[in-house]
Amino acid sequence: MIQINNAIQPADLRPKLQRFWELSAQKIRLIDQEYDLSKGSPVFTVQGKYTTRGWTEWTQGFQYGSSILQFDATGDTYFLEAGRKKTVEVMAPHVSHIGVHDHGFNNVSTYGNLLRLMHEGKLPHNEWEKAFYELALKISGAVQASRWTTIKNGAGTPAGFIHSFNGPHSLFVDTIRSCRALVLSHQLGHVFQAEGDVKIDLLERALLHMKATADYSVFYGEGRDSYDIWGRTAHESVFNTKDGNFRCPNSQQGYSGFTTWTRGLAWAMCGFAEQLEFLDTLDKKGLQAHGGSETLEAFMLRAAKATCDFYIDHTPINGIPYWDTGAPNLHKLGDYLDRPAEPFNDFEPVDSSAAAIGAQGLLRLGKYLSDKGETEAGQRYWQAGLTVLDTLLEEPYLSADSAHQGLLLHTIYHRPNGWDYVPEESQIPYGESCMWGDYHAREVALYLQRVIKNEPYYTFFGAVR
């Protein structure tokens, strides 16, 4: 269980954040100088050098989005120009990619961040450039929403989800972060049209996907199965596409459908928390058609609290989780939850990328609740987020080796498939980085830095406000 540091304050992390951004700049420049783009998008490191993995190009937006975040945090225009140039040159295929559920990762991280910076005045206003980013986000949201599976629910009301690249039967917990693409497209006034010029409400699809994720990907200790406890998540939920009924939990990158893959858990923590923030900006009258703001907030808040509670309770005291809370060899570590995570152990790897994503979810949920007057609960999550981030911003998780291209060490990509590099002297992978881990470390660092400096609060929907 995380040993929450209730004394630490955001300003206490200023020195660590300064060093973080210095190392981050060095890593981005190193990749720019050394990585061979002809091999495909960089995904994860092997012996400190980024390499690719031919599955889908889901990490390219993280690469160029990292440069944009670096500019946002430091004002160094080298990173702005690099991120902006590459967004224009190479990201267009991701806007029209009909075969993946990753539009939030690729397009919101690039086009969305650039549009947000223009709204904030950090980029000079240019009407044509603004229209370019807006058009990309409009189309991205609509393309993502087209991957739609209709399902049944007991109420007889509309229900469905954006299906994963596994096919129309497959709901991934990850995809809640791609709801950002639908939300931005909707807020930009885009009309998604299908056969016969039927107009499809992008906000409705986003909200229905969130509801399906809350209902099927998150557990609440209500006896759905023998392993149903408050806040655990399933990576994949499988449906019968003939009749729309739920069939079973499953996992692609976790140990099983009945254990909790911690990066999937972290996606839910962050996704529900940021969508609660977005929901709070919408006109309550307009939400009546979608079930009403109170109903929508209730299911999102329940899912956010449950997943964040599970993370706190099932993570070692320093806030870094092992890759799956049901990993088969965790028992060999003894009372592993009662001491700091051990990335160099002989039995199961940790996943610091889950911590980087989860920390942002904890902080956002904490602030949301505090702003709503739930001070005690809000402070618990907020301080837990600070505790996790405090750990991530120093060794052995922050990479200080000038020859290592990664920023955040001890991340895991796909343990079941054996894709992660295992050093010769070890039984498990350790010491490597991944593009999503590096990006989300930068994102949560930027989030907190803006809070410390009293700058505009960082949200994905800042792109349209």
CSV table of all heavy atoms in Angstrom, one decimal, residues 56 92 263-264 385 455:
chain,number,residue,atom,x,y,z
A,56,THR,N,1.4,-1.7,-34.1
A,56,THR,CA,0.8,-0.5,-34.8
A,56,THR,C,1.7,0.7,-34.4
A,56,THR,O,2.4,0.6,-33.5
A,56,THR,CB,-0.7,-0.2,-34.2
A,56,THR,OG1,-0.6,0.2,-32.9
A,56,THR,CG2,-1.5,-1.5,-34.3
A,92,ALA,N,-0.3,13.0,-40.5
A,92,ALA,CA,-1.5,12.9,-41.2
A,92,ALA,C,-2.1,11.5,-41.3
A,92,ALA,O,-3.3,11.4,-41.2
A,92,ALA,CB,-1.4,13.6,-42.6
A,263,ARG,N,-0.9,-1.0,-16.0
A,263,ARG,CA,-1.0,0.2,-17.0
A,263,ARG,C,-2.4,0.4,-17.4
A,263,ARG,O,-2.9,1.5,-17.6
A,263,ARG,CB,0.0,0.0,-18.2
A,263,ARG,CG,0.1,1.2,-19.0
A,263,ARG,CD,1.3,1.2,-19.9
A,263,ARG,NE,1.0,0.6,-21.2
A,263,ARG,CZ,1.6,-0.5,-21.6
A,263,ARG,NH1,2.5,-1.1,-20.8
A,263,ARG,NH2,1.4,-1.1,-22.8
A,264,GLY,N,-3.2,-0.7,-17.6
A,264,GLY,CA,-4.6,-0.5,-17.9
A,264,GLY,C,-5.3,0.1,-16.8
A,264,GLY,O,-6.2,1.0,-17.0
A,385,GLY,N,-0.7,11.3,-5.4
A,385,GLY,CA,-0.1,11.6,-6.6
A,385,GLY,C,1.2,12.3,-6.5
A,385,GLY,O,2.2,12.0,-7.2
A,455,GLU,N,0.1,28.9,-13.5
A,455,GLU,CA,-0.2,29.1,-14.9
A,455,GLU,C,-1.6,28.4,-15.2
A,455,GLU,O,-2.1,27.7,-14.3
A,455,GLU,CB,0.9,28.4,-15.7
A,455,GLU,CG,2.2,29.1,-15.6
A,455,GLU,CD,3.3,28.4,-16.4
A,455,GLU,OE1,3.1,27.3,-16.8
A,455,GLU,OE2,4.4,29.1,-16.6
